[in-house]
Amino acid sequence: MLRRRDFLASAAAAAALPVLPGLAAAQDAPTGVTPLEPAGTPRLPRGFVWGASTSSYQIEGAVTEGGRKPSIWDTFSHTPGRIADGTNGDVACDHYNRYAEDVDLMARLGLQAYRFSIAWPRVMPDGTGPVNPAGLDFYDRLVDKLLARGILPMACLYHWDLPQALQDRGGWHNRDMAGWFADYAVAAVNKLGDRVKPWAMLNEPSVHAIFGHGFGNHAPGLTGWPSYVMAQHNQNLAQGAGIRAIRAIRSDLKLGTVFSLQPIYPSSQDPADIAAAQRFDACWNTINLDPLFHGRYPAPFDGVFAQLVKGGDMEQIRVPVDFLGVNYYGPSWIKHDPAAFLAQAGYGAVPEGTPRTLLGWPILAQGLVEVLARLRDSYGNPPVFVTENGACYEDPAPAAGLVHDPERTEYIRAHLVAASQAIAQGCALNGYFAWSLLDNFEWAEGERRRFGVVNVDFATQKRTPKSSALYLSQLIKAHAAGAQP
């Protein structure tokens, strides 16, 4: 079980985190940053882990450097009409070349941990077969830099950038993906496992299945219910195979996975909408949770998955995890929609007055408490890290070395208050990773939508902290100084 103290002590080189100076401007509350006042201030326990997250295709760039070959997102983003603003991840944040600068920035902010993903097409450019030493060397340098600055690395093995070579062999519709993923996972761990101790297998498999293999508006752009079901089951298989393969070679690692979880509400009290909300909840939430923790698919879809499940599948999927990553953004209101591919469940009306982000996503910080309480009550209260939480807004241009983003600052504050409430209610929450460290290539939205707590000028690659970053820095320092209960 991955506890707070285990997380901070899991890498020998990072066992004693140095006191980091942070940004000088964060010593005082900058304009637009909520000051640390008793009312509405997050109070997190001693040892709570503070971090930020990114993903490889969204920030690395350098898509042809160091032996890397194309991923499904390279193919998808270069297909006309797929990306809202016509951009792609060829350069993104150029993190491949600027990682040292980015790690120094994390250290100045006082971040204790960094969740990043490893690009499969860098490590195994053809998806299977020989390991690419140059690709692994990049992550080797990144990990060493993180540890040198007192930041604990958490690696995620798959954040949607499947090698195109494997997509050409069926991708997540191919049951062999489980074995291919396990081989890749072992290769990464063999290189980095002496220093990286927490490992997440997959990022948001239900989202990848729904939007990449059902709706078709994410890579690889496939559509339909059978496509979604196959992609979901084979990701579940790969998740279990990866954990088992890693545990067979090392016993000193903390292994988990990352799910996007959200409360699902019916858009009305019509029985048809209530039933649709239950089906959508199964597709989004319990399609991952039930197999992992209970060894079965949720009741609405037992028959559907029975066509794919072979002997031993559910035993492979149900494997103990040391932690669960939870990505939380907000709830959904669902209505019955006979035309919807996803179990005849579609997005319905959001209650009037509900605040939203620029993407139209509803905001409900208390929904995080609901999600964590569900894990407590129905899934054994596993150790949890919020591995993504953040919001997209129309940020102004930098001014005097700062981007003023009070809406995002308030979003983060409200969700950290909810986190503290969940802990007080007995939920095993151990840390919080903001999404995202940097403005990045935001999937089908391209570069036009920004989630970062650090602004990136994509033309010059200049990084400018936002007031939300300074707010986080201030909170981290206050807790380190003993402001927590």
Side-chain angles (χ1 to χ4, degrees):
M1 304 287 276
L2 185 57
R3 305 294 182 183
R4 300 181 188 97
R5 62 180 181 274
D6 298 326
F7 192 97
L8 290 174
S10 63
L17 291 175
V19 177
L20 301 175
L23 293 174
Q27 298 294 334
D28 303 312
T31 302
V33 177
T34 305
L36 288 179
E37 298 173 347
T41 298
R43 301 293 182 186
L44 285 310
R46 182 171 284 102
F48 191 80
V49 177
W50 301 84
S53 292
T54 63
S55 85
S56 49
Y57 187 73
Q58 292 182 274
I59 68 165
E60 284 181 2
V63 295
T64 61
E65 294 185 40
R68 182 190 182 278
K69 289 187 178 180
S71 74
I72 56 175
W73 268 98
D74 293 282
T75 302
F76 189 83
S77 66
H78 281 267
T79 302
R82 290 295 199 177
I83 308 302
D85 63 359
T87 58
N88 54 59
D90 289 3
V91 177
C93 304
D94 195 30
H95 178 73
Y96 182 87
N97 295 303
R98 299 171 186 267
Y99 73 92
E101 170 191 347
D102 291 336
V103 173
D104 286 341
L105 176 57
M106 294 180 224
R108 292 197 301 275
L109 290 171
L111 297 180
Q112 299 168 340
Y114 175 52
R115 173 192 166 237
F116 62 96
S117 75
I118 295 173
W120 193 339
R122 283 201 196 281
V123 175
M124 286 182 170
D126 294 313
T128 60
V131 173
N132 174 33
L136 274 173
D137 284 348
F138 165 68
Y139 298 105
D140 198 49
R141 297 190 298 272
L142 172 62
V143 167
D144 283 348
K145 177 68 174 178
L146 288 164
L147 293 173
R149 295 308 308 264
I151 299 169
L152 194 72
M154 175 190 279
C156 181
L157 284 162
Y158 183 71
H159 199 130
W160 305 354
D161 49 352
L162 187 72
Q164 182 61 43
L166 292 188
Q167 187 61 42
D168 294 341
R169 298 165 71 178
W172 289 110
H173 289 173
N174 189 332
R175 282 181 60 92
D176 290 339
M177 279 291 299
W180 297 337
F181 176 77
D183 291 344
Y184 153 63
V186 166
V189 166
N190 278 337
K191 179 69 171 180
L192 304 173
D194 60 327
R195 287 151 294 152
V196 179
K197 300 305 177 181
W199 290 80
M201 299 300 107
L202 308 181
N203 180 79
E204 299 184 349
S206 69
V207 178
H208 191 39
I210 290 170
F211 291 100
H213 301 79
F215 285 121
N217 52 358
H218 280 191
L222 304 178
T223 59
W225 178 256
S227 171
Y228 153 76
V229 170
M230 283 189 288
Q232 182 62 72
H233 182 61
N234 289 330
Q235 285 183 95
N236 285 342
L237 281 175
Q239 180 178 275
I243 291 173
R244 292 176 186 278
I246 294 171
R247 286 204 173 122
I249 62 169
R250 296 196 72 119
S251 61
D252 60 331
L253 306 181
K254 302 299 181 181
L255 307 182
T257 198
V258 176
F259 297 154
S260 175
L261 302 178
Q262 59 177 279
I264 306 297
Y265 307 123
S267 61
S268 80
Q269 290 307 300
D270 186 315
D273 288 344
I274 293 172
Q278 292 169 344
R279 295 193 302 273
F280 192 94
D281 177 65
C283 290
W284 192 282
N285 294 317
T286 59
I287 208 78
N288 295 138
L289 291 168
D290 282 5
L292 177 62
F293 290 102
H294 298 318
R296 62 177 183 267
Y297 279 106
F301 303 125
D302 272 344
V304 172
F305 282 90
Q307 308 168 49
L308 300 176
V309 174
K310 296 186 178 181
D313 279 8
M314 301 316 293
E315 291 76 12
Q316 175 169 305
I317 294 169
R318 186 181 187 182
V319 56
V321 291
D322 298 305
F323 69 94
L324 182 66
V326 170
N327 295 352
Y328 178 78
Y329 291 94
S332 288
W333 279 264
I334 298 301
K335 66 179 181 180
H336 177 64
D337 181 356
F341 98 86
L342 194 67
Q344 296 186 317
Y347 291 103
V350 176
E352 187 176 350
T354 302
R356 298 176 185 243
T357 70
L358 185 63
L359 288 173
W361 297 358
I363 301 170
L364 184 66
Q366 283 301 304
L368 177 59
V369 181
E370 291 186 40
V371 163
L372 296 175
R374 186 180 197 181
L375 294 175
R376 179 197 63 201
D377 297 341
S378 300
Y379 297 97
N381 205 18
V384 168
F385 294 88
V386 171
T387 38
E388 290 184 23
N389 178 245
C392 174
Y393 292 106
E394 192 71 64
D395 297 331
L402 183 70
V403 172
H404 184 59
D405 66 338
E407 292 172 305
R408 184 177 293 104
T409 302
E410 171 56 23
Y411 179 98
I412 291 172
R413 185 205 64 80
H415 285 80
L416 284 168
V417 169
S420 67
Q421 292 170 349
I423 292 171
Q425 294 175 25
C427 300
L429 177 61
N430 295 286
Y432 175 92
F433 292 69
W435 182 269
S436 174
L437 176 68
L438 304 170
D439 290 337
N440 56 33
F441 175 78
E442 188 48 45
W443 304 121
E445 295 290 339
E447 294 175 354
R448 70 177 189 156
R449 297 292 180 250
R450 296 171 177 263
F451 278 82
V453 297
V454 174
N455 172 271
V456 176
D457 183 325
F458 292 108
T460 66
Q461 291 298 330
K462 182 178 180 180
R463 275 74 161 140
T464 304
K466 302 179 186 180
S467 48
S468 55
L470 302 190
Y471 173 69
L472 275 171
S473 180
Q474 182 192 23
L475 275 177
I476 296 167
K477 288 181 180 181
H479 281 75
Q484 71 275 22

